[in-house]
Amino acid sequence: MSAGAALAAVVVPVYNAAAYLPVCIAAIAAQTMPDFRCYLVDDGSTDGSGALCEQAAAGDDRFFVLHQAQCGVSAARTAGVRAARADGVSWVAFCDADDLYHPEFLRTLIGAARSSGLPAACCRYDSFTDAPPADAPVPEEAQRMMAPDHLDALLHDHRVDFSLCNKVYAARILDPADFDNGFAFNEDLMANWQVFNKIEGCAFVDFDGYHYRQHAASASHRPLAPASIDEQRRAAIYIRQHAAPEMQESADAFYYEKLVYLASMILRREDADRYRIQLGELCVGIRAGLEDKRLGRNPRLPLSIRVSAFATVHCTVLWAAVCRRLLKDRR
C-alpha cells in the first residue's frame, strides 16, 4: 500500500438515486473503521445525484466523485475498482446507492478476512422497504469456507448470495475485467464466479451486515425484460461449462435449478404470453433433464425444485396458478 493510502475502498455506482443517496452516504461515513476511501461513480445521472455526490465529497475528504456518461452499473464498478487500485488500497467493497451498510460492515469483514488469512469475506444481508432493520450484534467468530466449498456456497447458499455488496475483497485479486463482463443481468454472479475461481477460499461472518432496500425503482422490481431471461440462462450455461471437475455436480444442479426458477418467474406473471418463446425453451430443457442424473435427478437438487420441474412441464396451467398465488411477482 502506497504512503498515505487508505486501508479500504467502497465503490458506489450511482444512477438517479437522489432519493436514497444521502442516507447511503451517511451509513458509509458512519463506519466504525474510518480508514477508507469511498468512490461515488456518477453514471450519467439526470436527477441531481451528481450534485449530491459532489456535496458529499466537499464535506468529507474520504469521499471522491467520478463522473461518466451512462454506461451501466458494471462499467461504474469497473471505474471505481480502477481508481481504488490506482490509489493503493488493500481492500475493496461495494455498495448500491439505495442501500445501507451496518456500521460494523467494513471492520468486521476486513477483520474476518485478515484473521482467516483469506482474500475475501462475506456476510448475510436483509431487506427492507421503509425503515431499515435494527443493526444486529456482530459475532466474534468467522467461518472459513475453503475451495471448492466457497464456490458451492456462492451458487447454493443464500447467506452468501450472488451479490458483490455483502462482501469485501483484497484489492490484489480484483481485475477490472471481472466486473465489466458483458452481462446486464446476473452481472454480480458472473463477477463473483470469476473472482472466487481465483482464490483459495472466503471467510463468512453470520450477521446481517448489509441492508438491501426494496422499492418500485430498484433493479429487482423493474419490469421483467425478456432479455433478462436469456442472460440469466446464459450465465448458468457459462458456469456449467466452465466448472472444474470437483464443482461439476454443483454447477449442473445450479443450472437446472435456474431453468426451473426462470420458468416460475414467467408463469407467475399475468402477461406470461409475452415470454412464450423463453418459456418454451426453458420447458424443453426442463423436460429433457427430468430423468438426467446430472440434472433433474442430481443429488444436489432440492426436492422442491424436482417437484417444481415436474409440475412445470406436466401440469403447466395448474402450476401457473400456484405460482401466481404463492410466489411474489417481479414488477
Side-chain angles (χ1 to χ4, degrees):
M1 185 165 60
S2 60
L7 176 64
V10 179
V11 176
V12 184
V14 179
Y15 177 70
N16 288 353
Y20 308 107
L21 185 58
V23 290
C24 172
I25 290 172
I28 295 171
Q31 288 296 291
T32 58
M33 191 212 80
D35 187 15
F36 67 84
R37 287 179 166 228
C38 179
Y39 300 91
L40 301 167
V41 187
D42 173 29
D43 188 43
S45 297
T46 59
D47 70 340
S49 292
L52 290 173
C53 293
E54 294 289 351
Q55 192 176 52
D60 189 328
D61 61 9
R62 297 174 299 178
F63 286 78
F64 301 83
V65 186
L66 305 174
H67 295 285
Q68 63 181 36
Q70 185 185 357
C71 297
V73 64
S74 293
R77 286 173 178 153
T78 301
V81 169
R82 286 199 178 104
R85 286 170 58 93
D87 286 342
V89 302
S90 295
W91 300 92
V92 177
F94 299 89
C95 185
D96 286 345
D98 47 0
D99 296 340
L100 302 173
Y101 273 169
H102 186 294
E104 298 280 354
F105 179 84
L106 289 177
R107 183 192 66 80
T108 301
L109 292 193
I110 292 173
R114 283 171 145 180
S115 64
S116 66
L118 295 171
C122 67
C123 63
R124 287 187 284 106
Y125 69 86
D126 52 25
S127 59
F128 70 101
T129 51
D130 299 318
D135 291 318
V138 178
E140 294 183 6
E141 300 295 325
Q143 174 187 346
R144 297 176 87 238
M145 294 187 297
M146 304 305 296
D149 292 345
H150 70 311
L151 276 167
D152 186 74
L154 176 66
L155 298 184
H156 300 288
D157 189 338
H158 293 297
R159 301 176 306 165
V160 174
D161 198 68
F162 306 160
S163 177
L164 292 164
C165 293
N166 64 331
K167 300 172 180 69
V168 298
Y169 308 84
R172 62 178 172 79
I173 68 173
L174 299 184
D175 182 339
D178 294 333
F179 302 93
D180 198 6
N181 52 39
F183 280 79
F185 303 91
N186 269 181
E187 70 279 359
D188 282 30
L189 168 63
M190 294 305 297
N192 271 315
W193 176 256
Q194 300 296 349
V195 173
F196 273 38
N197 265 292
K198 295 186 289 188
I199 62 178
E200 63 270 31
C202 176
F204 173 73
V205 187
D206 194 9
F207 81 115
D208 293 321
Y210 189 84
H211 304 313
Y212 168 57
R213 185 192 301 271
Q214 298 191 28
H215 57 88
S218 63
S220 62
H221 285 76
R222 293 172 192 159
L224 179 63
S228 76
I229 300 291
D230 299 331
E231 281 228 331
Q232 290 184 68
R233 186 181 178 192
R234 182 164 68 94
I237 290 171
Y238 179 93
I239 288 171
R240 188 183 185 204
Q241 291 177 339
H242 291 81
E246 65 271 19
M247 276 295 297
Q248 194 61 61
E249 184 177 80
S250 177
D252 288 345
F254 173 77
Y255 166 76
Y256 197 70
E257 186 168 352
K258 178 67 79 172
L259 296 185
V260 176
Y261 166 72
L262 291 173
S264 76
M265 288 178 68
I266 294 172
L267 290 172
R268 74 186 69 171
R269 299 186 62 87
E270 297 295 338
D271 60 345
D273 188 60
R274 181 186 176 201
Y275 307 88
R276 61 186 180 278
I277 294 175
Q278 286 81 8
L279 181 61
E281 292 174 345
L282 292 167
C283 285
V284 168
I286 293 169
R287 184 185 298 274
L290 281 175
E291 301 301 324
D292 191 329
K293 292 181 180 179
R294 299 169 301 168
L295 298 174
R297 292 188 176 273
N298 189 311
R300 293 297 312 277
L301 205 66
L303 177 60
S304 60
I305 298 299
R306 297 184 191 188
V307 172
S308 299
F310 182 89
T312 298
V313 296
H314 290 296
C315 315
T316 307
V317 175
L318 177 60
W319 183 238
V322 172
C323 289
R324 285 194 294 270
R325 183 173 181 83
L326 298 183
L327 302 179
K328 291 182 179 180
D329 200 359
R330 185 174 187 251
R331 297 193 181 277

